[in-house]
Amino acid sequence: MSAITQFVTPQMIRGYLPSLISWGAAGGIAALFLLEPTPIARQDIFQNLPVVGGFWKQKLIAREQKD
C-alpha cells in the first residue's frame, strides 16, 4: 500500500482532476445520448430534468397518439 502512496500524491491528483472531470462529463453525456431512444430512459431520466423535461413528455405523448 505504501508503494502506491509514494507515486500518487495529492498534487498529482490535483493536476489530473480537470482532465478526469472533462472525460467523466463527456462519458456521461455520451451515455445519455445513446440511451435517449429507449422509452425507459425517456420516462425515468429525461422527463425528470428540471428545465427541458417537458420536451420529452410532449415527445412521448405525440408518440402514443401516433401509435
Side-chain angles (χ1 to χ4, degrees), residues 2-67:
S2 64
I4 293 173
T5 58
Q6 72 191 77
F7 292 114
V8 180
T9 62
Q11 292 83 10
M12 178 186 275
I13 294 172
R14 200 173 311 131
Y16 285 115
L17 197 60
S19 178
L20 292 173
I21 291 171
S22 298
W23 279 104
I29 291 169
L32 290 176
F33 179 74
L34 293 173
L35 287 174
E36 196 269 334
T38 60
I40 294 173
R42 286 183 185 176
Q43 291 172 352
D44 293 343
I45 298 170
F46 294 112
Q47 283 186 3
N48 295 325
L49 293 174
V51 177
V52 294
F55 172 75
W56 282 279
K57 287 180 186 175
Q58 293 172 357
K59 204 171 182 179
L60 282 175
I61 291 171
R63 173 79 179 206
E64 289 173 1
Q65 290 176 353
K66 187 177 180 182
D67 291 335

